[in-house]
Amino acid sequence: MPQAIALAIIGWTGSALAISAVAAVVSIGLTIGVSALMSSLFGPDRPKPSDGQQVKRLSVGTRERRYGIVHSGGQMSFFESVGGTLAQVVTLGTGHESEIIEHRINNKVVTVAGGTVTDASFHGAVHIYTRDGDDNQTAIAELTAIFPQWTENHRQRGCAHAAILAGPVDQDKFNEVYNGQAPQYTQVRKAARVYDPRKDSTAGGSGTHRLNVPSTWEWSDNAALVTADYAAHPDGYNLGYGNINWANIAAEADICDQTVTTVTEETIKRWRIWASYKLADDERKAVLKDLLAACDGFCWQDAQGKFCLKVGRFEMPTVTITDDHILGMTASMGPEAQKRVSAIKVLYTEAAIGYREQESATVGLAGAAEDPNTDPQAIPVYFAPHHNQAVRIGKLLFSRLGDERWHIAPRLNLFGLNLLGERFCRLQSAQLGVDAYFSIEKLKLDLGNQAVEATLSEVDPEDWDFNAATEEGTPPLVGDDTTTTVTIEVPTDVTVSPVQIVLGETGGVAIAVSWGMPSRAGLVYQARYRPTAGGDWVMMTVDDAARTARSGPVDSGVEYEVQVRALTISYWASGWSASVTITPSAEQILSAPTAFSATGASGSASATFRMPTEASLGWARLYRGTSSSFGSAVQVGSDIVGGLGEVITVTDSPLSSGAKYYWVRAFTTSGAASTLVGPVTATVT
């Protein structure tokens, strides 16, 4: 189509002027300038960064390509289980991608070593294996070894992807590892590598980059390099790498690499891009506009038909429009009514909240009648990766919507062809009383009437000046993000004590632990113990409501250390408490009293028994009841203290007549009880 337009112009006039303008006219279909920002404000909604952070299950999904740093899920391309192992393959994107920054499961950052997730809560059950999208990559062997339907031919060449293997675990660990769901995998990574002519010693630069050898390219989020790559790439605008003016791109890349200081005194590069787009769903021109909007960019084709770019800055114009060139015009002070805004907030990508969209601080005009905090207009510039960059873009757009700025649509004679490939011009009109600088937002060639129609918006060179300390505002507070561990307080006031237990005919001991009230409700707990000298940790049985736990039998006379930690229901955990030590001792089991008998008399009864002979003897208790059920018995008198093996006789009176039932039990000095003896019967007369 562009070639047909060019031939039509030559056939129409044959003049030198028209011939020299042919290549420039071809550029009209591709020239996108300041209007990229306007379309961000008043155009259709664009896909948000968070939209790409899901794993999609579609029978036919679209491929996605990415630049800069991205956090993404992808297309589920395999989902099977066998022998208790569940396997997923998530195809992340098309093209070779550079470096994995974070693995995430259920949006929680995990550590992977040798393919195994090493975080303690996963108990070694989950494995992640990746491919970076190389054209010669192999299939993931760890997957093919278990699932024969995924063969060595399933290489997904040219597509970055990950295989997630979720293995079986013991029942008591299942909820901790999987929390009732299959692992949902996403990844943060440096995406596409791009060509940098400044690093090509054969193209006037210095380095090993070669235009026709993509394996020599490196990752970069430089806005000029990214935009040029998109314009050239077959999965982008598809102009071809030979149709890019790389000398121009190198100069603009230097501008992008200039450093700026943010309001938080961070040093960043001036213009960067983090971008994702869908090959089947996103219109090419819309993606190019998004790229340009993120860096206040302007692009065109030069006389050789090559793609050229300028990133955001003001340059003194070389073309001046006067009344001599104007055939007619419409002009207005301030924007159209439907484009008036009181304030602006730019929606950009914020790394600190998981590489999701975030609102910038409000951009408004100081001293304006409108309240800049009232109904700010949201501008989606999702490819901008920093608050400072977002506010700079917001300032530029807001300045063009000011009530004191001219918006002029002149109809020019053929002198207007000089505006082709220009971003700014000067307009001097005595009739209108205007002498100002304008951005060129649109050009239209009227071949039949030999006229050029332009759309111009007034700008001020100071629009590109930016003082972060006074203009950036306060970056929005970063909300909770699962990229960082949720802080749960460590349990305090941890105390331990021994618990005597009966093990058949012998005594044993266990450990009890308790801890203080937390400041946060809804927590569950884990408690564990092990010998202080070393060994495996053993989990204890926990009563969450009472904040207590108890071990099973432990070795008497051995020192143990005990720790407690708190967890949320989703298994975010506190650290373990400091170890509390205890050396529990099992007390000897006391034998029961012997020679137990009872005799009734008139109004009384006598009970006789022999005390146990163990040194742990402390006291004995005599019980009386009116039936043979011990549940209704009461203690007779106070605790009975006697010598080892001593025969004890207790007279119980006054009593009513009838049958009385008696029991006796001995206790150690620590209160451990012997076996209960009885009942014996005495008849009172």
Side-chain angles (χ1 to χ4, degrees):
M1 184 64 180
Q3 289 83 354
I5 294 174
L7 292 173
I9 295 172
I10 295 173
W12 163 60
T13 177
S15 70
L17 174 61
I19 293 173
S20 67
V22 166
V25 171
V26 175
S27 74
I28 291 178
L30 182 61
T31 298
I32 303 171
V34 180
S35 58
L37 278 178
M38 287 294 184
S39 65
S40 296
L41 178 53
F42 300 107
D45 290 340
R46 301 293 298 135
K48 301 185 294 294
S50 59
D51 293 341
Q53 295 175 11
Q54 303 171 6
V55 176
K56 308 173 193 66
R57 299 189 185 189
L58 301 170
S59 56
V60 180
T62 175
R63 290 190 298 153
E64 299 184 29
R65 194 161 181 268
R66 314 181 196 276
Y67 291 103
I69 296 177
V70 294
H71 175 202
S72 83
Q75 170 74 27
M76 181 75 73
S77 49
F78 184 74
F79 190 85
E80 295 290 344
S81 65
V82 63
T85 296
L86 173 69
Q88 307 172 61
V89 175
V90 178
T91 302
L92 300 160
T94 186
H96 190 288
E97 299 191 326
S98 301
E99 175 187 341
I100 297 172
I101 299 174
E102 291 175 353
H103 298 279
R104 298 190 180 200
I105 293 179
N106 302 331
N107 207 26
K108 176 183 177 182
V109 179
V110 297
T111 302
V112 178
T116 299
V117 178
T118 60
D119 300 61
S121 62
F122 289 92
H123 296 281
V126 179
H127 307 270
I128 299 171
Y129 304 98
T130 62
R131 292 292 184 268
D132 59 11
D134 190 83
D135 288 338
N136 297 315
Q137 66 193 14
T138 60
I140 296 175
E142 293 82 0
L143 185 62
T144 61
I146 302 175
F147 295 87
Q149 59 269 55
W150 192 267
T151 72
E152 61 182 11
N153 294 321
H154 288 85
R155 300 166 61 180
Q156 293 203 64
R157 289 178 290 181
C159 289
H161 61 283
I164 302 92
L165 301 180
V169 295
D170 294 336
Q171 186 64 36
D172 62 340
K173 298 182 178 66
F174 186 84
N175 281 339
E176 183 178 4
V177 174
Y178 296 117
N179 197 22
Q181 63 179 329
Q184 301 297 307
Y185 179 77
T186 58
Q187 188 183 95
V188 178
R189 64 194 177 280
K190 293 181 176 180
R193 300 183 298 186
V194 296
Y195 172 67
D196 188 344
R198 301 171 301 172
K199 296 182 178 181
D200 187 346
S201 60
T202 67
S206 175
T208 59
H209 278 223
R210 297 296 182 266
L211 181 60
N212 296 322
V213 187
S215 62
T216 64
W217 302 355
E218 300 172 55
W219 174 87
S220 175
D221 59 0
N222 180 290
L225 301 180
V226 167
T227 305
D229 184 84
Y230 177 79
H233 199 279
D235 291 331
Y237 213 92
N238 196 27
L239 292 179
Y241 286 93
N243 290 321
I244 307 296
N245 185 333
W246 290 109
N248 159 260
I249 299 301
E252 296 304 302
D254 285 341
I255 301 296
C256 293
D257 278 345
Q258 292 173 352
T259 58
V260 298
T261 302
T262 72
V263 70
T264 58
E265 298 185 351
E266 178 186 3
T267 300
I268 62 171
K269 299 295 180 64
R270 181 174 297 278
W271 297 116
R272 297 182 296 153
I273 285 175
W274 295 353
S276 298
Y277 63 93
K278 298 177 181 179
L279 274 61
D281 297 343
D282 292 337
E283 183 186 4
R284 294 185 305 167
K285 193 168 185 177
V287 176
L288 183 56
K289 284 184 176 180
D290 289 346
L291 293 168
L292 295 171
C295 62
D296 182 38
F298 170 82
C299 68
W300 74 100
Q301 286 173 278
D302 63 15
Q304 286 72 45
K306 293 191 175 184
F307 177 89
C308 296
L309 171 71
K310 288 191 183 225
V311 295
R313 66 189 183 278
F314 179 80
E315 291 184 320
M316 195 60 65
T318 59
V319 178
T320 299
I321 301 295
T322 68
D323 289 330
D324 293 338
H325 309 124
I326 299 174
L327 303 176
M329 76 171 94
T330 60
S332 65
M333 182 72 77
E336 299 173 3
Q338 65 270 30
K339 294 185 178 181
R340 291 181 180 273
V341 296
S342 61
I344 282 172
K345 283 189 175 182
V346 176
L347 306 180
Y348 69 102
T349 298
E350 175 56 67
I353 60 169
Y355 302 86
R356 294 190 290 268
E357 59 275 7
Q358 172 70 291
E359 286 185 349
S360 74
T362 301
V363 179
L365 183 63
E370 295 88 358
D371 181 359
N373 296 307
T374 301
D375 298 325
Q377 177 72 44
I379 310 172
V381 189
Y382 298 126
F383 292 177
H386 196 280
H387 182 261
N388 176 277
Q389 184 170 332
V391 177
R392 283 187 277 124
I393 292 168
K395 177 187 175 181
L396 290 170
L397 182 51
F398 189 80
S399 68
R400 293 163 196 167
L401 298 174
D403 286 339
E404 298 182 357
R405 297 293 179 93
W406 283 101
H407 297 269
I408 299 176
R411 181 176 178 82
L412 307 172
N413 59 25
L414 290 182
F415 181 84
L417 291 174
N418 290 291
L419 297 179
L420 293 169
E422 298 290 331
R423 182 171 190 184
F424 302 106
C425 70
R426 185 174 183 177
L427 188 146
Q428 295 175 320
S429 172
Q431 296 182 27
L432 198 60
V434 173
D435 184 356
Y437 302 115
F438 288 81
S439 64
I440 304 166
E441 297 194 15
K442 185 184 296 184
L443 290 176
K444 181 180 179 181
L445 185 61
D446 184 350
L447 299 179
N449 295 303
Q450 300 189 40
V452 176
E453 297 176 1
T455 301
L456 309 177
S457 293
E458 184 182 354
V459 297
D460 188 318
E462 294 181 356
D463 294 344
W464 282 263
D465 296 338
F466 192 79
N467 185 332
T470 59
E471 295 184 275
E472 184 176 343
T474 302
L477 294 176
V478 175
D480 287 341
D481 176 47
T482 49
T483 63
T484 57
T485 302
V486 174
T487 301
I488 307 298
E489 65 177 301
V490 177
T492 58
D493 301 326
V494 179
T495 59
V496 291
S497 60
V499 179
Q500 300 299 320
I501 56 177
V502 177
L503 300 173
E505 297 299 323
T506 63
V509 68
I511 300 172
V513 58
S514 63
W515 52 93
M517 176 72 75
S519 61
R520 172 173 175 168
L523 298 175
V524 295
Y525 299 91
Q526 291 178 332
R528 64 184 185 179
Y529 69 95
R530 70 176 179 181
T532 304
D536 294 333
W537 289 102
V538 180
M539 304 307 292
M540 305 172 75
T541 302
V542 175
D543 183 341
D544 293 312
R547 300 186 310 283
T548 60
R550 183 167 168 171
S551 73
V554 297
D555 293 333
S556 178
V558 174
E559 184 178 71
Y560 289 87
E561 58 177 324
V562 181
Q563 296 178 341
V564 182
R565 71 173 178 177
L567 302 91
T568 67
I569 195 169
S570 57
Y571 284 94
W572 287 111
S574 72
W576 289 98
S577 66
S579 292
V580 179
T581 60
I582 184 175
T583 305
S585 295
E587 296 185 355
Q588 181 180 357
I589 290 298
L590 193 62
S591 60
T594 58
F596 183 38
S597 63
T599 304
S602 175
S604 67
S606 296
T608 302
F609 60 90
R610 184 185 296 277
M611 285 286 203
T613 58
E614 289 86 5
S616 59
L617 173 65
W619 64 87
R621 289 174 182 169
L622 181 68
Y623 304 91
R624 180 189 68 244
T626 57
S627 73
S628 60
S629 172
F630 181 72
S632 62
V634 296
Q635 184 176 344
V636 177
S638 58
D639 292 346
I640 303 165
V641 179
L644 302 181
E646 180 182 354
V647 176
I648 303 295
T649 298
V650 178
T651 299
D652 184 17
S653 68
L655 297 174
S656 61
S657 61
K660 311 298 178 185
Y661 299 85
Y662 289 91
W663 292 263
V664 68
R665 172 178 276 162
F667 293 85
T668 67
T669 54
S670 64
S674 73
T675 303
L676 183 68
V677 180
V680 296
T681 307
T683 302
V684 178
T685 60

